[in-house]
Amino acid sequence: APNGSGYVPFTIKLEPQPGVVVRAAQFPKPEDYFFKPLNENVPVYQHPFRIGQDVMLEPSKAGSAALKGVTTMTIVGTLHYQACDDTACFPPDKVSATAKISVKK
C-alpha cells in the first residue's frame, strides 16, 4: 500500500498531456498486516480494491488552445507495485494501460 516503509508501494503515473490536468490518485485505506518472517506490521491490500484518479481538461486559455480540434485522446498510465505472500516478497513490477476517451468541450 502507499507509504509502506521498506517496500515498493502502489503508485500510478499518468503520462502528461497538453491541456490535461491530472489529480492525485486516491487509494483506499490499507489493512494492517503482520508479516511473520520479518516480525513487522505493514500496510497492505489483501482483497480487490479500486484506485480513483481524476483527469480533467485544463480550463485555461492555454489548455483550450492545446485541445483545439481534439475529439479523442489516449490516456496512458503505469501502475508500479510489489506483491508479497505469507512467506516472501516478489521483485517489484509494473503494468501499463491505455484508455481512449472522447473529448467534449
Side-chain angles (χ1 to χ4, degrees):
N3 304 320
S5 177
Y7 300 94
V8 175
F10 271 93
T11 57
I12 294 179
K13 180 163 175 66
L14 298 182
E15 291 184 10
Q17 292 189 50
V20 176
V21 176
V22 177
R23 302 285 186 213
Q26 300 297 311
F27 291 86
K29 183 179 178 184
E31 299 174 48
D32 185 52
Y33 178 76
F34 180 69
F35 189 52
K36 196 171 186 175
L38 295 178
N39 194 34
E40 66 182 355
N41 286 65
V42 291
V44 300
Y45 297 119
Q46 297 188 80
H47 305 285
F49 62 96
R50 291 180 189 242
I51 302 167
Q53 187 163 23
D54 291 334
V55 178
M56 61 181 257
L57 301 181
E58 185 180 336
S60 69
K61 286 183 182 182
S64 294
L67 295 170
K68 186 174 183 171
V70 174
T71 58
T72 62
M73 67 173 44
T74 301
I75 305 293
V76 178
T78 304
L79 173 70
H80 295 262
Y81 66 95
Q82 182 174 21
C84 301
D85 64 16
D86 291 342
T87 60
C89 286
F90 303 99
D93 206 351
K94 62 183 176 182
V95 62
S96 295
T98 60
K100 191 169 187 174
I101 59 173
S102 296
V103 177
K104 295 182 181 179
K105 299 174 233 168

Coordinates of all heavy atoms in Angstrom, one line a residue:
A1 N 0.9 -1.2 0.0 CA 0.0 0.0 0.0 C 0.9 1.2 0.0 O 2.1 1.2 0.3 CB -0.9 0.0 1.2
P2 N 0.4 2.4 -0.4 CA 1.2 3.6 -0.3 C 1.7 3.8 1.1 O 1.1 3.4 2.1 CB 0.2 4.7 -0.7 CG -0.9 4.0 -1.4 CD -1.0 2.6 -0.9
N3 N 2.9 4.4 1.2 CA 3.5 4.7 2.5 C 4.0 3.5 3.2 O 4.3 3.6 4.4 CB 2.6 5.6 3.4 CG 2.2 6.9 2.7 OD1 3.0 7.5 2.0 ND2 0.9 7.2 2.8
G4 N 4.1 2.4 2.6 CA 4.7 1.2 3.2 C 6.2 1.3 3.3 O 6.9 1.4 2.2
S5 N 6.8 1.4 4.4 CA 8.2 1.6 4.6 C 9.0 0.3 4.2 O 8.7 -0.8 4.6 CB 8.5 1.9 6.1 OG 9.9 2.0 6.3
G6 N 10.0 0.5 3.4 CA 10.9 -0.6 3.0 C 10.4 -1.5 1.9 O 11.1 -2.4 1.5
Y7 N 9.2 -1.2 1.3 CA 8.7 -1.9 0.2 C 8.3 -1.0 -0.9 O 8.2 0.2 -0.7 CB 7.4 -2.7 0.7 CG 7.7 -3.7 1.8 CD1 7.5 -3.3 3.1 CD2 8.2 -5.0 1.5 CE1 7.8 -4.2 4.1 CE2 8.5 -5.9 2.5 CZ 8.3 -5.5 3.8 OH 8.6 -6.4 4.8
V8 N 8.1 -1.5 -2.1 CA 7.7 -0.7 -3.2 C 6.2 -0.5 -3.1 O 5.4 -1.4 -3.2 CB 8.0 -1.3 -4.6 CG1 7.5 -0.5 -5.7 CG2 9.5 -1.5 -4.7
P9 N 5.7 0.8 -2.8 CA 4.3 1.0 -2.7 C 3.6 1.1 -4.0 O 4.2 1.3 -5.0 CB 4.2 2.3 -2.0 CG 5.4 3.0 -2.5 CD 6.5 2.0 -2.6
F10 N 2.3 0.9 -4.0 CA 1.5 1.1 -5.2 C 1.6 2.6 -5.6 O 1.5 3.5 -4.8 CB 0.0 0.9 -4.9 CG -0.5 -0.5 -5.2 CD1 -0.5 -1.4 -4.1 CD2 -0.9 -0.9 -6.4 CE1 -0.9 -2.7 -4.3 CE2 -1.3 -2.2 -6.6 CZ -1.3 -3.1 -5.6
T11 N 1.9 2.8 -6.8 CA 1.9 4.2 -7.4 C 1.4 4.1 -8.8 O 1.5 3.1 -9.5 CB 3.3 4.8 -7.4 OG1 4.2 4.0 -8.2 CG2 3.9 5.0 -6.1
I12 N 0.7 5.2 -9.2 CA 0.2 5.3 -10.5 C 0.8 6.6 -11.1 O 0.8 7.6 -10.5 CB -1.4 5.4 -10.5 CG1 -2.0 4.2 -10.0 CG2 -1.9 5.8 -11.9 CD1 -3.5 4.2 -10.0
K13 N 1.3 6.5 -12.3 CA 1.8 7.6 -13.0 C 1.1 7.7 -14.4 O 1.2 6.8 -15.2 CB 3.3 7.5 -13.2 CG 3.9 8.7 -13.9 CD 5.4 8.8 -13.7 CE 6.0 9.8 -14.5 NZ 5.7 11.2 -14.2
L14 N 0.4 8.8 -14.6 CA -0.2 9.0 -16.0 C 0.7 9.9 -16.7 O 1.3 10.9 -16.2 CB -1.6 9.7 -15.8 CG -2.6 8.9 -15.1 CD1 -4.0 9.6 -15.1 CD2 -2.8 7.5 -15.7
E15 N 0.9 9.6 -18.0 CA 1.8 10.4 -18.9 C 1.1 11.8 -19.1 O -0.1 11.9 -19.3 CB 2.0 9.8 -20.2 CG 2.8 8.5 -20.1 CD 3.1 7.9 -21.5 OE1 2.8 8.5 -22.5 OE2 3.6 6.8 -21.5
P16 N 1.9 12.9 -18.9 CA 1.3 14.2 -19.0 C 0.9 14.5 -20.5 O 1.5 14.0 -21.4 CB 2.5 15.2 -18.6 CG 3.7 14.3 -18.5 CD 3.3 12.9 -18.5
Q17 N -0.1 15.3 -20.6 CA -0.5 15.7 -22.0 C -0.9 17.2 -21.9 O -1.5 17.7 -20.9 CB -1.8 14.9 -22.3 CG -1.5 13.5 -22.6 CD -2.8 12.8 -23.2 OE1 -3.3 13.3 -24.1 NE2 -3.2 11.7 -22.6
P18 N -0.7 17.9 -23.0 CA -1.1 19.3 -23.1 C -2.6 19.4 -22.9 O -3.3 18.7 -23.5 CB -0.6 19.8 -24.4 CG 0.4 18.8 -24.9 CD 0.0 17.5 -24.2
G19 N -3.0 20.4 -22.1 CA -4.4 20.6 -21.9 C -5.2 19.7 -21.0 O -6.4 19.8 -20.8
V20 N -4.4 18.9 -20.3 CA -5.0 17.9 -19.4 C -4.4 18.1 -18.0 O -3.2 18.2 -17.8 CB -4.8 16.5 -19.8 CG1 -5.3 15.5 -18.8 CG2 -5.4 16.2 -21.2
V21 N -5.3 18.1 -17.0 CA -4.9 18.2 -15.6 C -5.1 16.8 -14.9 O -6.2 16.3 -15.0 CB -5.7 19.3 -14.8 CG1 -5.3 19.3 -13.3 CG2 -5.4 20.7 -15.5
V22 N -4.1 16.3 -14.3 CA -4.2 15.0 -13.6 C -4.1 15.3 -12.1 O -3.2 15.9 -11.6 CB -3.1 14.1 -14.0 CG1 -3.2 12.8 -13.2 CG2 -3.1 13.8 -15.5
R23 N -5.1 14.8 -11.4 CA -5.2 15.0 -9.9 C -4.5 13.8 -9.2 O -4.2 12.8 -9.9 CB -6.6 15.0 -9.4 CG -7.4 16.2 -10.0 CD -7.0 17.5 -9.4 NE -7.9 18.5 -9.9 CZ -7.6 19.7 -10.1 NH1 -6.3 20.1 -9.9 NH2 -8.4 20.6 -10.6
A24 N -4.2 13.9 -8.0 CA -3.5 12.8 -7.2 C -4.4 11.6 -7.1 O -5.7 11.7 -7.0 CB -3.2 13.3 -5.8
A25 N -3.8 10.4 -7.2 CA -4.6 9.2 -7.0 C -5.1 9.1 -5.6 O -4.5 9.5 -4.7 CB -3.7 8.0 -7.4
Q26 N -6.3 8.5 -5.5 CA -7.0 8.3 -4.2 C -7.0 6.8 -4.0 O -7.7 6.0 -4.7 CB -8.4 8.9 -4.2 CG -8.4 10.4 -4.5 CD -7.7 11.2 -3.4 OE1 -8.0 10.9 -2.2 NE2 -6.9 12.1 -3.8
F27 N -6.3 6.4 -3.0 CA -6.2 4.9 -2.6 C -7.1 4.7 -1.4 O -7.2 5.5 -0.5 CB -4.7 4.6 -2.2 CG -3.8 4.6 -3.4 CD1 -3.1 5.8 -3.7 CD2 -3.5 3.5 -4.1 CE1 -2.3 5.8 -4.8 CE2 -2.6 3.5 -5.1 CZ -2.0 4.7 -5.5
P28 N -7.6 3.5 -1.4 CA -8.4 3.1 -0.2 C -7.5 2.9 1.0 O -6.3 2.8 0.9 CB -9.1 1.8 -0.6 CG -8.2 1.2 -1.6 CD -7.6 2.4 -2.3
K29 N -8.1 2.9 2.2 CA -7.4 2.6 3.4 C -6.8 1.2 3.4 O -7.6 0.3 3.2 CB -8.3 2.8 4.6 CG -7.5 2.7 5.9 CD -8.4 2.9 7.1 CE -7.6 2.7 8.4 NZ -8.5 2.8 9.6
P30 N -5.5 1.0 3.6 CA -5.0 -0.3 3.6 C -5.3 -1.0 4.9 O -5.6 -0.4 5.9 CB -3.5 -0.1 3.5 CG -3.2 1.3 4.0 CD -4.5 2.1 3.7
E31 N -5.1 -2.3 4.9 CA -5.2 -3.2 6.1 C -3.8 -3.3 6.8 O -2.8 -3.2 6.1 CB -5.7 -4.6 5.8 CG -7.0 -4.6 5.1 CD -7.3 -6.1 4.6 OE1 -7.1 -7.0 5.4 OE2 -7.7 -6.2 3.5
D32 N -3.8 -3.4 8.1 CA -2.6 -3.6 8.8 C -2.3 -5.2 8.8 O -3.2 -5.9 9.1 CB -2.7 -3.1 10.2 CG -1.4 -3.3 11.0 OD1 -0.3 -2.8 10.4 OD2 -1.4 -3.9 12.1
Y33 N -1.1 -5.6 8.3 CA -0.8 -7.0 8.2 C 0.5 -7.3 9.0 O 1.5 -6.6 8.8 CB -0.6 -7.3 6.7 CG -0.3 -8.8 6.5 CD1 -1.2 -9.8 6.6 CD2 1.0 -9.1 6.2 CE1 -0.8 -11.1 6.4 CE2 1.4 -10.4 6.0 CZ 0.5 -11.4 6.1 OH 0.8 -12.7 5.9
F34 N 0.5 -8.3 9.8 CA 1.7 -8.7 10.5 C 2.4 -9.7 9.6 O 1.9 -10.8 9.3 CB 1.4 -9.4 11.8 CG 2.6 -9.8 12.6 CD1 3.5 -8.9 13.1 CD2 2.9 -11.2 12.7 CE1 4.6 -9.3 13.8 CE2 4.0 -11.6 13.4 CZ 4.9 -10.6 13.9
F35 N 3.6 -9.3 9.1 CA 4.4 -10.2 8.3 C 5.4 -10.9 9.2 O 6.4 -10.4 9.6 CB 5.2 -9.3 7.3 CG 5.9 -10.0 6.2 CD1 5.2 -11.0 5.4 CD2 7.2 -9.8 5.9 CE1 5.9 -11.7 4.4 CE2 7.9 -10.4 4.9 CZ 7.2 -11.4 4.1
K36 N 5.0 -12.2 9.4 CA 5.7 -13.0 10.4 C 7.2 -13.2 10.1 O 8.0 -13.2 11.0 CB 5.0 -14.3 10.5 CG 5.4 -15.1 11.8 CD 4.5 -16.3 11.9 CE 4.8 -17.0 13.2 NZ 3.9 -18.1 13.5
P37 N 7.6 -13.5 8.8 CA 9.0 -13.7 8.6 C 10.0 -12.6 9.0 O 11.1 -12.9 9.4 CB 9.1 -13.9 7.1 CG 7.8 -14.4 6.7 CD 6.8 -13.7 7.6
L38 N 9.5 -11.4 9.0 CA 10.3 -10.3 9.4 C 9.8 -9.6 10.7 O 10.3 -8.6 11.1 CB 10.4 -9.2 8.3 CG 11.1 -9.7 7.0 CD1 11.0 -8.6 6.0 CD2 12.5 -10.1 7.3
N39 N 8.8 -10.2 11.3 CA 8.3 -9.7 12.6 C 7.9 -8.2 12.5 O 8.3 -7.4 13.3 CB 9.3 -10.0 13.7 CG 8.6 -9.8 15.1 OD1 7.4 -10.1 15.3 ND2 9.4 -9.3 16.1
E40 N 7.1 -7.9 11.5 CA 6.8 -6.5 11.3 C 5.3 -6.3 10.8 O 4.8 -7.2 10.2 CB 7.7 -5.8 10.3 CG 7.7 -6.3 8.9 CD 8.6 -5.6 8.0 OE1 9.3 -4.7 8.4 OE2 8.7 -6.0 6.8
N41 N 4.8 -5.2 11.1 CA 3.4 -4.8 10.6 C 3.6 -3.9 9.4 O 4.4 -3.0 9.4 CB 2.6 -4.1 11.7 CG 2.2 -5.0 12.7 OD1 3.0 -5.6 13.5 ND2 0.9 -5.2 12.8
V42 N 2.8 -4.2 8.3 CA 2.9 -3.4 7.1 C 1.5 -3.1 6.6 O 0.6 -3.9 6.8 CB 3.7 -4.1 6.0 CG1 5.2 -4.2 6.4 CG2 3.2 -5.5 5.7
P43 N 1.3 -2.0 5.9 CA 0.0 -1.7 5.3 C -0.1 -2.4 4.0 O 0.8 -2.4 3.2 CB 0.0 -0.2 5.1 CG 1.5 0.2 5.0 CD 2.2 -0.8 5.9
V44 N -1.2 -3.1 3.8 CA -1.4 -4.0 2.6 C -2.8 -3.9 2.1 O -3.7 -3.5 2.8 CB -1.0 -5.5 2.9 CG1 0.4 -5.6 3.3 CG2 -1.9 -6.1 3.9
Y45 N -2.9 -4.4 0.9 CA -4.2 -4.7 0.3 C -4.3 -6.2 0.0 O -3.5 -6.7 -0.7 CB -4.4 -3.9 -1.1 CG -4.4 -2.4 -0.9 CD1 -3.4 -1.7 -1.5 CD2 -5.3 -1.8 -0.1 CE1 -3.4 -0.3 -1.4 CE2 -5.3 -0.4 0.0 CZ -4.3 0.3 -0.6 OH -4.3 1.7 -0.5
Q46 N -5.3 -6.8 0.7 CA -5.4 -8.3 0.5 C -6.6 -8.7 -0.3 O -6.8 -9.9 -0.5 CB -5.5 -9.0 1.9 CG -4.2 -8.7 2.8 CD -4.3 -9.6 4.0 OE1 -4.0 -10.7 4.0 NE2 -4.7 -8.9 5.1
H47 N -7.4 -7.7 -0.6 CA -8.7 -8.0 -1.4 C -8.8 -7.1 -2.5 O -8.1 -6.0 -2.6 CB -9.9 -7.8 -0.4 CG -9.8 -8.6 0.8 ND1 -10.0 -10.0 0.9 CD2 -9.5 -8.3 2.1 CE1 -9.8 -10.4 2.1 NE2 -9.5 -9.4 2.9
P48 N -9.6 -7.4 -3.5 CA -9.8 -6.4 -4.6 C -10.1 -5.0 -4.1 O -10.8 -4.9 -3.1 CB -10.9 -7.0 -5.4 CG -10.9 -8.5 -5.1 CD -10.5 -8.5 -3.6
F49 N -9.6 -4.0 -4.8 CA -9.8 -2.6 -4.4 C -9.8 -1.7 -5.6 O -9.4 -2.1 -6.7 CB -8.8 -2.2 -3.4 CG -7.4 -2.2 -3.9 CD1 -6.8 -1.0 -4.4 CD2 -6.6 -3.4 -3.9 CE1 -5.5 -1.0 -4.8 CE2 -5.3 -3.4 -4.3 CZ -4.7 -2.2 -4.8
R50 N -10.3 -0.5 -5.5 CA -10.3 0.5 -6.6 C -9.4 1.7 -6.2 O -9.4 2.1 -5.0 CB -11.7 1.0 -6.8 CG -12.6 -0.1 -7.4 CD -14.0 0.5 -7.7 NE -14.8 -0.5 -8.0 CZ -15.5 -0.6 -9.2 NH1 -15.3 0.4 -10.1 NH2 -16.2 -1.6 -9.5
I51 N -8.8 2.2 -7.2 CA -8.0 3.4 -7.0 C -8.7 4.5 -7.9 O -8.9 4.2 -9.1 CB -6.5 3.2 -7.5 CG1 -5.9 2.1 -6.7 CG2 -5.7 4.5 -7.4 CD1 -4.6 1.6 -7.3
G52 N -8.9 5.6 -7.4 CA -9.6 6.7 -8.2 C -8.5 7.8 -8.5 O -7.7 8.1 -7.7
Q53 N -8.7 8.3 -9.7 CA -7.8 9.4 -10.1 C -8.5 10.2 -11.1 O -8.9 9.8 -12.2 CB -6.5 8.9 -10.7 CG -5.5 10.0 -11.0 CD -4.1 9.5 -11.1 OE1 -3.8 8.3 -11.5 NE2 -3.1 10.3 -10.9
D54 N -8.8 11.5 -10.8 CA -9.5 12.4 -11.7 C -8.5 13.0 -12.7 O -7.4 13.3 -12.4 CB -10.1 13.6 -10.9 CG -11.2 13.1 -10.0 OD1 -11.9 12.1 -10.3 OD2 -11.5 13.8 -9.0
V55 N -9.0 13.0 -13.9 CA -8.4 13.6 -15.1 C -9.3 14.6 -15.7 O -10.5 14.2 -15.9 CB -8.0 12.6 -16.1 CG1 -7.3 13.2 -17.3 CG2 -7.1 11.5 -15.5
M56 N -8.9 15.8 -15.9 CA -9.9 16.8 -16.4 C -9.2 17.7 -17.5 O -7.9 17.8 -17.5 CB -10.4 17.7 -15.3 CG -9.4 18.5 -14.6 SD -10.1 19.5 -13.2 CE -10.1 21.1 -14.0
L57 N -10.0 18.3 -18.3 CA -9.4 19.3 -19.3 C -9.0 20.5 -18.6 O -9.8 21.0 -17.7 CB -10.5 19.6 -20.3 CG -11.0 18.4 -21.1 CD1 -12.0 18.9 -22.2 CD2 -9.9 17.6 -21.8
E58 N -7.9 21.1 -18.9 CA -7.4 22.3 -18.3 C -8.3 23.5 -18.7 O -8.4 23.7 -19.9 CB -5.9 22.5 -18.7 CG -5.3 23.7 -18.0 CD -3.8 23.9 -18.5 OE1 -3.2 22.9 -19.0 OE2 -3.4 25.0 -18.4
P59 N -8.8 24.2 -17.8 CA -9.8 25.3 -18.1 C -9.2 26.6 -18.6 O -9.9 27.5 -18.9 CB -10.5 25.5 -16.8 CG -9.6 25.1 -15.7 CD -8.7 24.0 -16.3
S60 N -7.8 26.7 -18.6 CA -7.2 27.9 -19.0 C -7.2 28.1 -20.5 O -7.6 27.2 -21.3 CB -5.7 27.9 -18.6 OG -5.0 27.0 -19.3
K61 N -6.9 29.3 -21.0 CA -6.8 29.6 -22.4 C -5.8 28.7 -23.1 O -6.0 28.2 -24.2 CB -6.4 31.1 -22.7 CG -7.6 32.0 -22.4 CD -7.2 33.5 -22.7 CE -8.3 34.4 -22.4 NZ -8.0 35.8 -22.8
A62 N -4.6 28.5 -22.4 CA -3.6 27.6 -22.9 C -4.1 26.2 -23.1 O -3.8 25.5 -24.1 CB -2.4 27.7 -22.0
G63 N -4.9 25.7 -22.1 CA -5.4 24.4 -22.2 C -6.4 24.3 -23.3 O -6.4 23.3 -24.0
S64 N -7.3 25.3 -23.5 CA -8.2 25.2 -24.6 C -7.5 25.3 -25.9 O -7.9 24.5 -26.9 CB -9.2 26.5 -24.5 OG -10.0 26.4 -23.4
A65 N -6.4 26.0 -26.0 CA -5.7 26.1 -27.3 C -5.0 24.7 -27.6 O -5.0 24.3 -28.7 CB -4.6 27.2 -27.2
A66 N -4.5 24.1 -26.5 CA -3.8 22.8 -26.7 C -4.8 21.7 -27.2 O -4.4 20.8 -27.9 CB -3.2 22.3 -25.4
L67 N -6.1 21.9 -26.9 CA -7.1 20.9 -27.2 C -7.9 21.3 -28.4 O -8.9 20.5 -28.7 CB -8.0 20.6 -26.0 CG -7.2 20.0 -24.8 CD1 -8.1 20.0 -23.6 CD2 -6.8 18.6 -25.2
K68 N -7.6 22.4 -29.1 CA -8.4 22.8 -30.2 C -8.4 21.7 -31.3 O -7.4 21.2 -31.7 CB -7.8 24.1 -30.8 CG -8.7 24.7 -31.9 CD -8.2 26.0 -32.3 CE -9.1 26.6 -33.4 NZ -8.8 27.9 -33.7
G69 N -9.6 21.3 -31.7 CA -9.8 20.3 -32.7 C -9.6 18.9 -32.2 O -9.8 18.0 -33.0
V70 N -9.3 18.7 -31.0 CA -9.1 17.3 -30.4 C -10.5 16.8 -30.1 O -11.3 17.4 -29.4 CB -8.2 17.4 -29.2 CG1 -8.1 16.0 -28.5 CG2 -6.8 17.9 -29.5
T71 N -10.8 15.6 -30.6 CA -12.1 14.9 -30.3 C -11.9 13.6 -29.5 O -12.8 13.1 -28.9 CB -12.8 14.6 -31.6 OG1 -12.0 13.8 -32.5 CG2 -13.2 15.9 -32.3
T72 N -10.7 13.1 -29.6 CA -10.3 11.9 -28.8 C -8.9 12.0 -28.3 O -8.1 12.7 -28.9 CB -10.4 10.6 -29.6 OG1 -9.5 10.6 -30.6 CG2 -11.8 10.3 -30.1
M73 N -8.6 11.4 -27.2 CA -7.3 11.3 -26.7 C -7.1 10.0 -26.0 O -8.0 9.3 -25.6 CB -7.0 12.5 -25.7 CG -7.7 12.5 -24.4 SD -7.1 13.8 -23.3 CE -7.0 15.2 -24.3
T74 N -5.8 9.6 -25.9 CA -5.5 8.4 -25.2 C -4.7 8.7 -23.9 O -3.7 9.4 -23.9 CB -4.6 7.5 -26.1 OG1 -5.3 7.2 -27.3 CG2 -4.2 6.2 -25.5
I75 N -5.3 8.2 -22.8 CA -4.6 8.4 -21.5 C -3.8 7.1 -21.3 O -4.2 6.0 -21.4 CB -5.7 8.5 -20.4 CG1 -6.6 9.6 -20.7 CG2 -5.0 8.6 -19.0 CD1 -6.0 11.0 -20.6
V76 N -2.5 7.3 -21.0 CA -1.6 6.2 -20.8 C -1.1 6.3 -19.3 O -0.6 7.3 -18.9 CB -0.4 6.3 -21.8 CG1 0.6 5.1 -21.5 CG2 -0.9 6.2 -23.2
G77 N -1.1 5.2 -18.6 CA -0.7 5.1 -17.3 C 0.1 3.9 -16.9 O -0.1 2.9 -17.6
T78 N 0.9 4.0 -15.9 CA 1.6 2.8 -15.4 C 1.4 2.6 -13.9 O 1.5 3.6 -13.1 CB 3.1 3.0 -15.7 OG1 3.3 3.2 -17.1 CG2 3.9 1.7 -15.3
L79 N 1.1 1.4 -13.5 CA 1.0 1.1 -12.1 C 2.2 0.3 -11.7 O 2.6 -0.7 -12.3 CB -0.3 0.2 -11.9 CG -0.4 -0.4 -10.5 CD1 -0.9 0.7 -9.5 CD2 -1.5 -1.5 -10.5
H80 N 2.9 0.9 -10.6 CA 4.1 0.2 -10.0 C 3.7 -0.4 -8.7 O 2.9 0.2 -8.0 CB 5.2 1.2 -9.8 CG 5.7 1.9 -11.0 ND1 6.8 1.5 -11.6 CD2 5.2 2.9 -11.8 CE1 7.1 2.2 -12.7 NE2 6.1 3.1 -12.8
Y81 N 4.1 -1.6 -8.5 CA 3.7 -2.4 -7.3 C 4.8 -3.4 -6.9 O 5.6 -3.8 -7.7 CB 2.4 -3.0 -7.5 CG 2.4 -4.1 -8.5 CD1 2.6 -5.4 -8.1 CD2 2.3 -3.8 -9.9 CE1 2.6 -6.4 -9.1 CE2 2.3 -4.8 -10.8 CZ 2.5 -6.1 -10.4 OH 2.5 -7.1 -11.4
Q82 N 4.6 -3.9 -5.7 CA 5.4 -5.1 -5.2 C 4.4 -6.0 -4.5 O 3.7 -5.6 -3.6 CB 6.5 -4.7 -4.3 CG 7.3 -5.9 -3.8 CD 8.5 -5.5 -3.0 OE1 8.6 -4.4 -2.4 NE2 9.5 -6.4 -2.9
A83 N 4.3 -7.3 -5.0 CA 3.4 -8.2 -4.4 C 4.1 -9.1 -3.4 O 5.3 -9.4 -3.6 CB 2.8 -9.1 -5.5
C84 N 3.5 -9.5 -2.4 CA 4.0 -10.4 -1.4 C 3.0 -11.5 -1.0 O 1.8 -11.3 -1.2 CB 4.4 -9.7 -0.1 SG 5.6 -8.3 -0.3
D85 N 3.5 -12.6 -0.5 CA 2.5 -13.6 0.0 C 2.9 -13.8 1.5 O 3.6 -13.0 2.1 CB 2.5 -14.9 -0.8 CG 3.9 -15.7 -0.8 OD1 4.7 -15.4 0.1 OD2 4.0 -16.6 -1.6
D86 N 2.5 -14.9 2.1 CA 2.7 -15.1 3.6 C 4.2 -15.3 3.9 O 4.6 -15.3 5.1 CB 1.9 -16.2 4.1 CG 0.4 -15.9 4.1 OD1 0.1 -14.7 4.1 OD2 -0.4 -16.9 4.2
T87 N 5.0 -15.7 2.9 CA 6.4 -16.0 3.2 C 7.5 -15.2 2.5 O 8.6 -15.2 3.0 CB 6.7 -17.5 2.8 OG1 6.4 -17.7 1.4 CG2 5.8 -18.4 3.6
A88 N 7.1 -14.5 1.4 CA 8.1 -13.8 0.7 C 7.5 -12.6 -0.1 O 6.3 -12.6 -0.4 CB 8.8 -14.7 -0.3
C89 N 8.4 -11.7 -0.4 CA 8.0 -10.6 -1.3 C 8.7 -10.8 -2.7 O 9.8 -11.2 -2.7 CB 8.4 -9.2 -0.7 SG 7.4 -8.7 0.6
F90 N 8.0 -10.5 -3.7 CA 8.5 -10.8 -5.1 C 9.1 -9.5 -5.6 O 8.9 -8.4 -5.1 CB 7.3 -11.2 -5.9 CG 6.6 -12.4 -5.4 CD1 5.5 -12.4 -4.7 CD2 7.2 -13.7 -5.6 CE1 4.9 -13.5 -4.1 CE2 6.6 -14.8 -5.0 CZ 5.5 -14.7 -4.3
P91 N 9.9 -9.6 -6.6 CA 10.5 -8.4 -7.2 C 9.5 -7.4 -7.6 O 8.4 -7.7 -8.1 CB 11.3 -8.9 -8.4 CG 11.5 -10.3 -8.1 CD 10.3 -10.8 -7.3
P92 N 9.8 -6.1 -7.5 CA 8.8 -5.0 -7.9 C 8.5 -5.2 -9.4 O 9.3 -5.7 -10.2 CB 9.6 -3.7 -7.7 CG 10.6 -4.1 -6.6 CD 11.0 -5.5 -6.9
D93 N 7.3 -4.8 -9.8 CA 6.8 -5.0 -11.2 C 6.0 -3.8 -11.5 O 5.7 -2.9 -10.7 CB 6.0 -6.3 -11.3 CG 6.1 -6.8 -12.7 OD1 6.6 -6.2 -13.6 OD2 5.6 -7.9 -12.9
K94 N 5.6 -3.7 -12.8 CA 4.7 -2.6 -13.2 C 3.8 -3.2 -14.4 O 4.2 -4.2 -15.0 CB 5.5 -1.4 -13.7 CG 6.4 -1.7 -14.9 CD 7.3 -0.5 -15.3 CE 8.2 -0.9 -16.4 NZ 9.1 0.3 -16.7
V95 N 2.7 -2.5 -14.6 CA 1.8 -2.8 -15.7 C 1.3 -1.5 -16.2 O 1.0 -0.6 -15.5 CB 0.7 -3.8 -15.2 CG1 -0.2 -3.1 -14.1 CG2 -0.2 -4.2 -16.3
S96 N 1.3 -1.5 -17.5 CA 0.8 -0.2 -18.2 C -0.6 -0.5 -18.8 O -0.9 -1.6 -19.1 CB 1.7 0.2 -19.3 OG 3.0 0.5 -18.8
A97 N -1.4 0.6 -18.9 CA -2.7 0.5 -19.5 C -3.0 1.8 -20.3 O -2.4 2.8 -20.0 CB -3.7 0.3 -18.4
T98 N -3.9 1.7 -21.2 CA -4.3 2.9 -22.0 C -5.8 2.9 -22.1 O -6.5 1.9 -22.0 CB -3.7 2.8 -23.5 OG1 -4.2 1.7 -24.1 CG2 -2.2 2.8 -23.5
A99 N -6.3 4.1 -22.2 CA -7.7 4.3 -22.3 C -8.0 5.4 -23.3 O -7.4 6.5 -23.2 CB -8.4 4.7 -21.0
K100 N -8.8 5.1 -24.4 CA -9.1 6.1 -25.4 C -10.4 6.7 -25.0 O -11.4 6.0 -24.7 CB -9.2 5.4 -26.7 CG -9.3 6.4 -27.9 CD -9.1 5.8 -29.2 CE -9.0 6.8 -30.3 NZ -8.7 6.2 -31.6
I101 N -10.5 8.0 -24.9 CA -11.7 8.7 -24.4 C -12.1 9.8 -25.4 O -11.2 10.3 -26.1 CB -11.5 9.3 -23.0 CG1 -10.3 10.3 -23.0 CG2 -11.3 8.2 -22.0 CD1 -10.2 11.1 -21.7
S102 N -13.4 10.1 -25.4 CA -13.9 11.2 -26.3 C -13.7 12.5 -25.5 O -13.9 12.5 -24.3 CB -15.4 11.0 -26.6 OG -15.5 9.8 -27.3
V103 N -13.4 13.5 -26.2 CA -13.3 14.9 -25.7 C -14.4 15.7 -26.1 O -14.6 15.9 -27.3 CB -11.9 15.5 -26.1 CG1 -11.8 16.9 -25.5 CG2 -10.7 14.7 -25.6
K104 N -15.2 16.2 -25.2 CA -16.3 17.1 -25.4 C -16.1 18.4 -24.7 O -15.9 18.3 -23.5 CB -17.6 16.4 -25.1 CG -18.0 15.2 -25.9 CD -19.3 14.6 -25.5 CE -19.5 13.4 -26.4 NZ -20.8 12.8 -26.0
K105 N -16.1 19.5 -25.4 CA -15.9 20.8 -24.8 C -17.1 21.6 -24.7 O -18.1 21.4 -25.4 CB -14.8 21.5 -25.5 CG -13.5 20.8 -25.5 CD -12.5 21.5 -26.4 CE -12.0 20.5 -27.4 NZ -11.2 20.9 -28.4

